[in-house]
Amino acid sequence: MAGELQLHDAQRRAAEPAVSVWVAASAGAGKTKVLVDRVLRLMLSGTPVDKILCLTFTRAAAAEMSNRIKAALGEWAILSTADLAAAVESLTGAPADDAATAAARRLFAQVLDAPGGLRIMTLHSFCESLLGRFPLEARVAPHFSVVDERSAAEIMHEARDELLVRAEREDETELADALREVTGRVGELEFVELMTELAGERGRLKRLAASGNDIGHRDARLFKLLRANPDETVADIIAGACAEETFDREGLQEAMAALATGTKTDIARGIALEGWLSAADDARRIAVFDAHADGLLRKDRRPLARLITSKPAEAAPYAAETLAGEAERLAEIFQLLRANGAARASAALLRLGDGLIGAYETQKRLRAKLDYDDLILAVRDLLARPGIAPWVLFKLDGGLDHILIDEAQDTNPDQWEV
């Protein structure tokens, strides 16, 4: 019982309209109840209905809040004076006089009479309404309409087809190279998923493009971040790893002889090593490079824990050290290969993303359409635009006294900027 009282007290403090609060609680702990109680107390304290804005991240949450508030106000309208006074006292923690109960009883009618009613909407709906008020300031078509996810997917499909057609043109060699790089690594279904994910991250891609860096500079930063050399290809790295001067031939020959006196595993490793050492030139070593690595590395291309058993190791004291050194060298080569591959694939994917988003934006602009992400991005830019944002914020501030945000733990950075 004491725990329940403490919880109720904490909820009551969180619903206090005179202070700004942040509520952190587990699922089912009553966060929505706190929001509902806070709205009710705001209205009881005399805040006009149209001065309150409640933002949620789903339509279901918006409907749940609206239903709870209307249910409470509808009940207040028909309760007896004594029961209504008790309900108000339970909500506020203070005795309710006749004026308070009379005000509470009128709230249901006030909500019904308010233009547009109580404003409980999703963040996307709020952004849509804001763009409708300030279309020119937001640089969107005044007659814009919002496309649903299905229509957006259809437009994205057209944009993807346009991108693929562009990649076939002779003057689009860089785009064609990027497409070849990506499609060489993923299947058809994965490619479609990648394009969809790219479109969903266009807010970040736009910020990257707006940073003033051209594609070449962006690629250079990407290779530097991954510690890869943009001037090296996979073939270059492998060729360098197979050069005669890069490995200890004499030490490996001694280790090969020692392995021949050991267990079956030792002998098999020695045979693989012989294939590497007997290659007459770099080109032939390139052909057996993977087989050589298989003898000394695990499947994840890290050195094997044990490269030689104790008996041959005792006969050739330096064999274990030599084999470990070669395994470490090969592991570093594969790390370079992974870094190079990741950098090239990422650069290609970003280049495709630039083309895809450009085509997608063009298709929507021709139709005067905005999708859900556009609503967030357009409002984010509007509220940060020099010379425009202060006026928009002034108009908003004149119409709102309280903003309540549900599910505020959302991690979308663009939504948080709004």
Side-chain angles (χ1 to χ4, degrees), residues 312-389:
E314 291 174 359
Y318 297 107
E321 182 180 346
T322 301
L323 291 172
E326 178 66 1
E328 193 64 39
R329 183 183 78 89
L330 293 175
E332 291 176 0
I333 295 300
F334 278 98
Q335 178 61 33
L336 288 176
L337 290 172
R338 284 191 291 267
N340 187 278
R344 291 188 181 280
S346 299
L349 200 57
L350 288 174
R351 195 176 294 268
L352 286 182
D354 292 337
L356 177 68
I357 291 170
Y360 180 58
E361 298 293 340
T362 299
Q363 293 285 349
K364 287 187 299 176
R365 190 163 52 249
L366 292 174
R367 296 172 169 85
K369 300 290 187 182
L370 298 177
D371 64 19
Y372 293 136
D373 288 334
D374 291 328
L375 297 174
I376 300 294
L377 297 176
V379 169
R380 180 204 66 185
D381 294 342
L382 171 65
L383 297 179
R385 185 161 292 132
I388 299 295

Side-chain angles (χ1 to χ4, degrees), residues 57-354:
F57 288 87
T58 65
R59 290 192 181 96
E64 175 68 16
M65 278 193 65
S66 179
N67 291 337
R68 289 198 193 187
I69 292 171
K70 289 178 180 177
L73 295 180
E75 185 178 1
W76 287 1
I78 59 175
L79 283 175
S80 67
T81 301
D83 289 341
L84 180 55
V88 172
E89 182 176 350
S90 175
L91 176 67
T92 63
D97 55 21
D98 291 342
T101 55
R105 199 179 299 279
R106 291 192 298 267
L107 288 178
F108 187 67
Q110 290 177 8
V111 170
L112 294 179
D113 293 339
L118 185 62
R119 287 191 285 179
I120 302 177
M121 58 181 68
T122 65
L123 184 59
H124 291 99
S125 297
F126 169 71
C127 290
E128 182 179 357
S129 67
L130 192 60
L131 294 177
R133 288 180 61 186
F134 305 100
L136 299 181
E137 293 85 349
R139 299 174 184 174
V140 299
H143 59 292
F144 79 87
S145 60
V146 180
V147 295
D148 57 24
E149 293 181 357
R150 180 177 179 180
S151 299
E154 292 174 355
I155 297 175
M156 178 61 69
H157 184 78
E158 293 182 24
R160 189 174 65 246
D161 290 346
E162 179 183 330
L163 179 70
L164 296 177
V165 171
R166 276 183 54 200
E168 295 179 356
R169 287 165 33 185
E170 293 183 359
D171 59 339
E172 293 283 2
T173 55
E174 291 183 344
L175 186 60
D177 291 342
L179 182 62
R180 191 178 302 109
E181 178 75 34
V182 173
T183 54
R185 296 172 179 270
V186 298
E188 181 179 354
L189 293 178
E190 290 173 308
F191 178 76
V192 173
E193 292 174 358
L194 277 176
M195 294 298 99
T196 302
E197 289 183 18
L198 274 177
E201 295 292 342
R202 63 184 178 279
R204 295 183 180 183
L205 292 176
K206 284 183 177 180
R207 284 197 298 271
L208 189 61
S211 64
N213 298 323
D214 57 23
I215 292 178
H217 188 262
R218 183 183 68 190
D219 289 353
R221 288 177 57 197
L222 181 60
F223 273 85
K224 183 178 180 181
L225 179 66
L226 294 175
R227 298 180 182 179
N229 186 348
D231 298 324
E232 279 187 333
T233 65
V234 169
D236 293 334
I237 295 173
I238 293 178
C242 295
E244 179 70 32
E245 63 274 12
T246 60
F247 62 93
D248 181 4
R249 172 176 287 278
E250 183 177 344
L252 290 176
Q253 285 175 333
E254 292 180 1
M256 179 183 69
L259 288 168
T261 65
T263 64
K264 289 183 179 180
T265 302
D266 289 325
I267 294 172
R269 184 167 292 120
I271 292 173
L273 191 55
E274 183 181 11
W276 168 261
L277 295 173
S278 63
D281 50 37
D282 292 357
R284 294 188 182 183
R285 276 193 292 273
I286 291 173
V288 298
F289 177 74
D290 285 336
H292 176 47
D294 289 341
L296 301 175
L297 303 179
R298 304 186 313 192
K299 289 184 178 180
D300 62 2
R301 293 319 193 193
R302 294 181 181 179
L304 287 165
R306 190 178 189 187
L307 295 168
I308 187 171
T309 58
S310 56
K311 183 179 178 180
E314 291 174 359
Y318 297 107
E321 182 180 346
T322 301
L323 291 172
E326 178 66 1
E328 193 64 39
R329 183 183 78 89
L330 293 175
E332 291 176 0
I333 295 300
F334 278 98
Q335 178 61 33
L336 288 176
L337 290 172
R338 284 191 291 267
N340 187 278
R344 291 188 181 280
S346 299
L349 200 57
L350 288 174
R351 195 176 294 268
L352 286 182
D354 292 337

Side-chain angles (χ1 to χ4, degrees), residues 374-416:
D374 291 328
L375 297 174
I376 300 294
L377 297 176
V379 169
R380 180 204 66 185
D381 294 342
L382 171 65
L383 297 179
R385 185 161 292 132
I388 299 295
W391 165 249
V392 174
L393 292 171
F394 170 76
K395 297 294 287 183
L396 282 177
D397 192 46
L400 294 174
D401 287 343
H402 299 274
I403 300 176
L404 291 81
I405 302 176
D406 188 20
E407 300 292 349
Q409 80 277 6
D410 190 274
T411 56
N412 185 304
D414 296 315
Q415 292 183 357
W416 259 115

